[in-house]
Amino acid sequence: QVQLVESGGALVQAGDSLRLSCVASIDTFPSTFASYAMAWFRQAPGKDREFVAATSWSGVTTYYADSVKGRFTFSGDNGKNTVYLQMDSLKPEDTAVYYCAASLSHAYEIFHGTGTIKYWGKGTLVTVSS
């Protein structure tokens, strides 16, 4: 069974930084692990889940939601099967449960809302106080 395990969520103040991690188990991934695009989504209380960022494992192109562009950075470590979401200049409106996701769709399809997420993590809570 494929698992995506997020960590790093915390209670922080506005303006602070935080880095989320997502470790992917690859036991049942295809041998071409690079076939998967990785993404971060978030869901604020009372709201629908929304796209945050997506990239391929090659990291050639990364897509960001306008609300986080310039503040969040998506990176990965292939050797550790881990992706990260560096979040800087956090705002109270960034408060949400953040989910890691893996998809066989292209990253741009996920960005445009036409991709299909194959695996989801259970999420990690980020709370930003004002």
Side-chain angles (χ1 to χ4, degrees):
Q1 188 71 24
V2 173
Q3 285 190 331
L4 300 173
V5 181
E6 305 95 334
S7 63
L11 170 62
V12 297
Q13 293 186 335
D16 286 352
S17 296
L18 200 60
R19 189 177 79 161
L20 305 183
S21 301
C22 171
V23 179
S25 66
I26 62 169
D27 290 348
T28 56
F29 269 26
S31 58
T32 52
F33 189 61
S35 297
Y36 283 84
M38 299 298 295
W40 288 95
F41 287 77
R42 67 186 182 185
Q43 186 167 19
K47 296 187 177 181
D48 293 334
R49 190 175 298 185
E50 65 174 4
F51 168 82
V52 174
T55 190
S56 61
W57 273 103
S58 65
V60 173
T61 304
T62 303
Y63 301 89
Y64 296 95
D66 288 342
S67 59
V68 306
K69 194 176 298 182
R71 300 187 298 120
F72 290 12
T73 304
F74 195 162
S75 63
D77 185 334
N78 290 352
K80 296 182 179 179
N81 297 330
T82 302
V83 293
Y84 306 97
L85 185 67
Q86 177 67 39
M87 305 185 294
D88 299 320
S89 302
L90 282 162
K91 304 176 181 180
E93 50 263 44
D94 294 320
T95 294
V97 177
Y98 283 73
Y99 297 91
C100 179
S103 172
L104 289 172
S105 302
H106 289 286
Y108 71 83
E109 293 176 312
I110 301 171
F111 172 64
H112 288 289
T114 58
T116 301
I117 299 299
K118 189 170 179 66
Y119 304 109
W120 290 98
K122 292 183 178 180
T124 185
L125 176 63
V126 174
T127 304
V128 184
S129 64
S130 57

